[in-house]
Amino acid sequence: MAKRPQLTGRAAILAVVVCAIAMSLAYPVREYVAQRRAIAELEAEKAKEQEEQRVLAERRRQLEDPNYIKREARRRLHYCGAGEKCYMVADSKPKQTQAGARQQAAITPPWYQTLWESVEAADTGKGVKASAGATAEEKKDDGKP
């Protein structure tokens, strides 16, 4: 008995037909997947918009309530109604950040004062000659009085 070839003419034609079917279905399947993805994105956007609309409707209901408006006017604007006595307590202590900024400003002299002092030091010869690679410690210990 003669050996049959592993790839017959019928098998080759079948392979070509299967490849042609796969190639003809590839584009529509890709478009289907892309459309499903777009639909999912639009549904998520729709849900987000509906939630925002619900929040805005709730806010509108609050703003239509006169008691809410009065409460917010008192809280935000320190509003007092007719015949009411309102008191406001002022904080007598300055904030820490302001005190820290004042101390920092008192310690650092203005730039023009520093400039003038350096000019005077250079004029009297008491200034320190700065070299390119010298550090602050080397400048102090260079042997000059």
Side-chain angles (χ1 to χ4, degrees):
M1 200 158 75
K3 265 189 162 182
R4 293 181 73 189
Q6 290 185 354
L7 185 63
T8 62
R10 286 184 176 174
I13 292 173
L14 180 64
V16 169
V17 169
V18 168
C19 286
I21 291 172
M23 295 294 277
S24 66
L25 290 178
Y27 182 74
V29 168
R30 185 174 57 188
E31 288 298 313
Y32 173 77
V33 170
Q35 287 176 356
R36 295 305 296 174
R37 187 179 315 121
I39 289 171
E41 289 174 0
L42 289 173
E43 286 176 346
E45 186 179 334
K46 179 183 173 184
K48 184 178 128 189
E49 294 294 329
Q50 286 177 342
E51 176 63 23
E52 185 177 337
Q53 188 177 19
R54 187 193 62 77
V55 168
L56 289 174
E58 177 65 29
R59 180 74 176 145
R60 181 178 178 192
R61 272 194 293 279
Q62 281 181 338
L63 292 175
E64 289 174 351
D65 182 19
N67 291 329
Y68 176 78
I69 294 174
K70 287 179 186 177
R71 193 169 53 245
E72 286 299 304
R74 282 192 176 101
R75 184 178 68 87
R76 291 185 186 178
L77 304 174
H78 308 291
Y79 177 77
C80 292
E84 294 179 353
K85 289 186 180 180
C86 295
Y87 299 97
M88 188 129 189
V89 178
D91 189 12
S92 61
K93 295 180 184 177
K95 293 182 179 177
Q96 293 294 337
T97 56
Q98 292 174 352
R102 288 182 192 145
Q103 288 176 351
Q104 181 65 22
I107 293 171
T108 307
W111 66 271
Y112 52 85
Q113 182 180 353
T114 306
L115 177 67
W116 185 250
E117 288 172 358
S118 69
V119 170
E120 285 180 337
D123 186 41
T124 60
K126 295 180 182 176
V128 177
K129 184 176 180 179
S131 61
T135 62
E137 290 296 321
E138 292 172 349
K139 289 177 186 176
K140 289 181 182 176
D141 297 317
D142 63 350
K144 293 184 182 177

